[in-house]
Amino acid sequence: MSTAERLTSLVGALRAHGVRIGTGETVDAAQAVEALGLADRERLREGLAATLLHGTAQRQVFDPVFDLYFPRGVGAPEETSGDRDDLRERLAKALAANDETLMARLAVEAVDGFGGYGNSPASDGWSSYQTLDRLRPQTLLARVRDDVRGQQGMSGFTDRLLEDELRRRIEAFRVLVAAEARRRVAERRGRDEIARRAVAPTTDRVDFLFAGKDRLAELRRTVQPLARKLATRLAARRRRAARGSIDLRRTLRGSLSTGGVPMKPVLRRRRPARPELVLLCDVSGSVSGFSDFTMLLVQALHDQFSKVRVFAFVNRLDEITRLLEHGAADPEGLGARIRAEATLTGWHGSSDYGVALGEFASLYADALSPRTTVFVLGDARTNMSDPNLSAVQAITERARRVYWLNPEERAQWGTGDSAAYEYAESVEMHECRNVRQLSALVGRLLPI
Amino acid sequence: MFTSVDDVSARLAETGYLASPAVATTVFLADRLGKPLLVEGPAGVGKTELAKAVAEVAQARLVRLQCYEGVDESRALYEWNHAKQLLRISAGRDETWDEARTDIFSEEFLLSRPLLTAIRGDEPTVLLIDETDKADVEVEGLLLEVLSDFQVTVPELGTITASRRPFVVLTSNASRELSEALRRRCLFLHIGFPEEELERRIVRLRVPGLDEALAKSVVRVVGALRAMDLRKVPSVAETIDWARTLLALGADHLDETVVRDSLGVLLKHQDDILKAGAKLDLDAV
């Protein structure tokens, strides 16, 4: 395969993962390859990343895809011992010395020695899970720690950092093993397929409903700048809205320096109207992935906007604004606090939108004004109970705008106990399954 | 400007900027392909420093456009010197209007701002557009024209094209998403926190009096803090500040008291300080 072909299929795989790359960038990348040469793989990686990517988040897709199309090597390593204890021994040394090149080589050996499965050409492959399961690098922690301490002596304060550092090195080794297993599998099954299937999507495309705990931390890092972005965008819009009539007094005063000729008209500043935000969040079990995320968003918005009121519900509704202290960025703790301190359930534990929305309309009507924008976050699955459309209507009448963000795929709306389409008749409902959709939506929807 | 990636690293290092492989490679490519370089990353990792170092290496003049909310065409590109124009008009009372008009819209009354300055010069130039994300969206439109064609059109004077392309560095903290069109015109470089080894070398270079063992401890503590879930993790700039502080305090090794007393140099939020203190067992003593 020529370098040009390799490059275009790399671009194709990146595009399939939603990285937008134009022809111009591909040409730049080819020029970069020419300028850098193929000798140094890490330089090539950086060069291609610089020409093809446009943002930091894309890097986590780029790196594994790059590893597939510009692999470190071909086939099995030249020398393997196949002896588990020996490998563990050498790994322990590499961890202690933080020798990254050695760790990379050991990952190659480990996959070759312990990752293979199956015995017919059609079904066999390499598994990082199996490799790590046999090798158990995490059990080396205590040993390596004692080794290092033995060599260096108890070096006082920084000694307490050692254990965490080793944990991070072991984690890095796991990543290396996963990459190597992917490479070996790709050799067998075709790299195009592996590049599409086995590379995790960028964080902004992870489905909220299925985001696991480990993904949640990443989501948080994506959501926090999003909230800040929203705040600056709002500020920008407010500023633009201020352009209007001329302020005669200040224009004349400004003209003194030009001998009374008004060269620069000064515009009257309008007082900024402060948007008010009300969030109604479904925190029931069926949307747990989403509600964890909701909590992130709520927390982030709460840090950025002064006037946000937040309500949570399962089948009863309670205000939780007081539970959101500024800056306490801990969604898990927050979720627990909400469940402990707010009254969210009545005599059963499943969600009931009808009752919750009714309670909001009757008890917290004072939260709504012609300046309020209401966001309802939930899947509109009301467990066959009355959706209480009149309550929604009442809310729409009192608030400025009402939007519903639904974490379910649009194809699922209206199926089973989903009242999505019924609600969508009176409320603007949007599919909001990942950060990408959310940021597109919020930019469009949020009030000036 | 540069002959190879190694050449970039070596010459940047001479100015006191230690570049990671990613930085060196991208700077080399930006020079070779003649494209602007968009640098993103957390505050204090040396984005602006990079532009300064490149300028020093190339012995180029550094033209800097500091972006902020409300920076506009007249601040970024050029404006007419109105006061001087008025003086000119009132000084020459007896000439015809046509004469005066052609005269007051000439070079003499043009105040060129960073973008125009960078394009007009004949000497090598590094144009630094700092904190691009702070500027309004309209300014990006302005940059598009300048960065893709390296030319500026002044209606009264005509189009001014760069005779010598400046080396352009844009920096951003990603507090606002830059437009796709702008990104497409640039090479993209993310500068993150440096590897432990590199950071140790940076600290040693910037704080000469610090001994090797202490530098190592400093970098390890900072690394541990970065792995914690803090509101604002310490950056390279803070690492250097801390190293300087330790030197000033006369500390020759780290212990609970020293770290606790100087944690404020690294962390800028009270709750971060409390959290880090708890994680590092500073209160156990």
Side-chain angles (χ1 to χ4, degrees):
Chain A
M1 191 188 242
S2 75
T3 313
E5 274 175 81
R6 209 173 272 262
L7 191 61
T8 41
S9 20
L10 169 84
V11 169
L14 288 172
R15 282 189 187 136
H17 278 284
V19 181
R20 290 229 289 273
I21 300 174
T23 319
E25 283 104 307
T26 317
V27 173
D28 285 346
Q31 283 178 345
V33 173
E34 200 179 270
L36 294 170
L38 293 165
D40 188 328
R41 187 160 163 268
E42 288 314 304
R43 268 180 202 169
L44 189 65
R45 181 199 297 272
E46 297 302 336
L48 290 183
T51 44
L52 293 175
L53 303 187
H54 298 135
T56 316
Q58 296 166 341
R59 190 63 196 242
Q60 76 186 65
V61 166
F62 174 82
D63 277 333
V65 173
F66 176 85
D67 284 335
L68 289 178
Y69 285 92
F70 293 88
R72 175 202 48 76
V74 183
E78 282 156 25
E79 46 177 311
T80 47
S81 68
D83 177 16
R84 181 170 164 276
D85 291 332
D86 172 55
L87 195 61
R88 275 170 62 88
E89 189 65 32
R90 285 187 287 155
L91 180 58
K93 285 217 179 72
L95 286 171
N98 196 15
D99 184 340
E100 282 167 24
T101 17
L102 183 55
M103 262 155 60
R105 215 161 52 228
L106 291 174
V108 172
E109 272 188 49
V111 171
D112 187 65
F114 309 106
Y117 63 83
N119 40 23
S120 78
S123 69
D124 59 356
W126 275 269
S127 154
S128 64
Y129 176 78
Q130 184 181 307
T131 313
L132 293 167
D133 192 48
R134 295 208 185 142
L135 204 59
R136 297 197 171 276
Q138 66 278 14
T139 55
L140 289 169
L141 179 68
R143 219 197 92 192
V144 176
R145 187 190 58 208
D146 295 341
D147 280 0
V148 174
R149 280 189 188 154
Q151 283 162 20
Q152 301 180 350
M154 301 286 277
S155 56
F157 183 78
T158 42
D159 189 53
R160 65 185 65 174
L161 308 173
L162 184 62
E163 200 161 311
D164 277 335
E165 284 174 356
L166 291 178
R167 235 174 240 130
R168 290 204 288 277
R169 286 176 206 167
I170 292 173
E171 193 48 45
F173 178 72
R174 287 165 168 278
V175 174
L176 289 172
V177 167
E180 171 63 11
R182 239 189 337 256
R183 179 185 78 80
R184 294 296 290 276
V185 174
E187 274 184 1
R188 175 141 313 194
R189 304 240 184 100
R191 52 168 84 83
D192 288 342
E193 190 201 337
I194 301 303
R196 271 167 190 61
R197 260 188 335 110
V199 175
T202 45
T203 316
D204 63 344
R205 295 174 145 235
V206 172
D207 218 315
F208 290 144
L209 286 177
F210 310 113
K213 280 270 176 265
D214 51 331
R215 272 292 169 134
L216 215 57
E218 273 178 52
L219 269 182
R220 169 162 19 158
R221 282 194 285 277
T222 326
V223 168
Q224 261 168 352
L226 177 68
R228 204 172 56 216
K229 197 157 77 193
L230 295 181
T232 45
R233 184 179 299 220
L234 284 188
R237 277 217 238 162
R238 263 182 250 148
R239 227 182 8 257
R240 216 168 306 148
R243 285 171 200 169
S245 53
I246 286 180
D247 186 336
L248 199 59
R249 193 178 62 81
R250 285 170 56 213
T251 306
L252 285 180
R253 194 174 57 197
S255 75
L256 289 181
S257 69
T258 49
V261 184
M263 303 299 295
K264 272 196 186 146
V266 180
L267 297 173
R268 198 182 297 280
R269 279 175 201 276
R270 230 179 281 160
R271 273 176 69 100
R274 180 172 287 178
E276 292 173 16
L277 235 51
V278 168
L279 302 166
L280 301 178
C281 316
D282 180 354
V283 293
S284 68
S286 70
V287 285
S288 61
F290 181 62
S291 65
D292 280 343
F293 156 76
T294 308
M295 288 303 107
L296 291 177
L297 180 69
V298 163
Q299 183 88 63
L301 284 174
H302 191 261
D303 289 347
Q304 298 292 334
F305 293 84
S306 46
K307 271 222 143 193
V308 185
R309 287 183 75 176
V310 187
F311 301 85
F313 63 89
V314 176
N315 50 48
R316 304 269 317 270
L317 175 123
D318 200 357
E319 175 156 12
I320 55 165
T321 316
R322 66 197 143 83
L323 299 178
L324 299 155
E325 301 150 39
H326 271 271
D330 175 19
E332 283 161 51
L334 181 64
R337 257 203 326 275
I338 290 170
R339 276 186 288 279
E341 292 182 34
T343 322
L344 303 176
T345 47
W347 42 271
H348 64 93
S350 42
S351 51
D352 186 337
Y353 280 74
V355 174
L357 291 170
E359 280 196 345
F360 178 73
S362 57
L363 296 177
Y364 296 102
D366 62 311
L368 300 174
S369 78
R371 274 190 298 172
T372 335
T373 301
V374 181
F375 278 92
V376 186
L377 308 164
D379 60 359
R381 293 206 171 266
T382 144
N383 289 304
M384 298 305 177
S385 53
D386 173 25
N388 198 355
L389 292 174
S390 62
V392 179
Q393 224 105 50
I395 297 173
T396 349
E397 274 161 29
R398 299 210 46 166
R400 182 183 144 117
R401 304 301 292 272
V402 181
Y403 301 105
W404 194 307
L405 304 186
N406 193 330
E408 276 197 332
E409 212 177 329
R410 198 172 273 270
Q412 302 285 319
W413 294 9
T415 61
D417 58 349
S418 164
Y421 283 117
E422 286 167 86
Y423 285 124
E425 276 169 28
S426 30
V427 185
E428 211 179 307
M429 193 179 280
H430 296 274
E431 177 186 293
C432 176
R433 290 165 56 212
N434 49 39
V435 174
R436 171 185 289 247
Q437 280 179 339
L438 177 79
S439 47
L441 276 173
V442 174
R444 226 167 56 219
L445 302 183
L446 265 182
I448 294 170
Chain B
M1 201 150 76
F2 298 105
T3 53
S4 69
V5 179
D6 293 318
D7 183 43
V8 177
S9 325
R11 285 167 66 189
L12 285 180
E14 278 167 27
T15 72
Y17 190 96
L18 299 182
S20 69
V23 171
T25 310
T26 322
V27 168
F28 173 69
L29 279 180
D31 175 42
R32 202 37 80 85
L33 304 185
K35 296 197 89 178
L37 180 59
L38 170 61
V39 189
E40 271 189 357
V45 289
K47 301 190 291 295
T48 307
E49 288 304 311
L50 175 62
K52 289 183 185 164
V54 171
E56 202 181 322
V57 165
Q59 293 177 330
R61 160 182 75 145
L62 180 72
V63 179
R64 178 170 178 166
L65 171 64
Q66 178 68 45
C67 294
Y68 52 89
E69 279 187 25
V71 65
D72 58 1
E73 205 173 299
S74 59
R75 290 300 159 118
L77 213 51
Y78 68 90
E79 64 186 323
W80 292 103
N81 190 342
H82 297 312
K84 202 170 170 190
Q85 284 173 328
L86 275 178
L87 270 175
R88 169 70 187 79
I89 294 170
S90 34
R93 292 262 178 226
D94 47 355
E95 66 191 345
T96 64
W97 163 240
D98 276 334
E99 284 165 0
R101 191 184 54 193
T102 42
D103 200 36
I104 59 171
F105 286 111
S106 61
E107 287 278 343
E108 195 189 342
F109 300 94
L110 190 71
L111 293 172
S112 74
R113 299 299 183 207
L115 292 184
L116 185 59
T117 312
I119 280 185
R120 276 214 292 194
D122 282 330
E123 69 255 77
T125 307
V126 171
L127 170 61
L128 166 63
I129 304 175
D130 215 2
E131 306 197 48
T132 317
D133 52 332
K134 297 285 192 311
D136 301 329
V137 184
E138 292 86 345
V139 176
E140 279 184 32
L142 198 70
L143 290 177
L144 288 185
E145 187 199 344
V146 177
L147 295 185
S148 55
D149 302 331
F150 290 95
Q151 64 178 36
V152 172
T153 306
V154 183
E156 294 84 356
L157 294 179
T159 303
I160 301 171
T161 313
S163 51
R164 182 168 190 152
R165 283 199 171 195
F167 184 94
V168 187
V169 178
L170 299 97
T171 73
S172 159
N173 287 329
S175 71
R176 174 174 69 79
E177 197 66 38
L178 298 176
S179 73
E180 192 75 5
L182 182 66
R183 288 176 180 276
R184 199 132 8 92
R185 279 171 179 69
C186 303
L187 294 186
F188 178 77
L189 170 65
H190 176 85
I191 303 189
F193 300 123
E195 305 252 305
E196 203 178 309
E197 215 265 330
L198 178 61
E199 184 160 22
R200 195 162 61 229
R201 274 165 49 213
I202 293 174
V203 170
R204 292 269 286 159
L205 188 72
R206 288 303 171 93
V207 192
L210 203 70
D211 77 87
E212 181 70 40
L214 185 55
K216 191 170 179 189
S217 308
V218 163
V219 170
R220 281 178 72 188
V221 172
V222 171
L225 289 174
R226 282 183 195 145
M228 287 177 202
D229 190 12
L230 300 176
R231 280 179 74 184
K232 165 85 180 68
V233 294
S235 198
V236 186
E238 274 101 34
T239 316
I240 293 170
D241 283 349
W242 195 42
R244 289 212 175 104
T245 311
L246 293 174
L247 202 63
L249 289 174
D252 49 3
H253 69 284
L254 292 179
D255 57 35
E256 277 89 358
T257 334
V258 171
V259 175
R260 189 173 50 219
D261 292 348
S262 58
L263 211 51
V265 181
L266 285 171
L267 302 176
K268 311 293 175 178
H269 292 284
Q270 183 57 28
D271 28 339
D272 281 357
I273 294 180
L274 292 176
K275 201 170 186 177
K279 282 235 170 115
L280 294 174
D281 284 336
L282 293 180
D283 309 316
V285 199

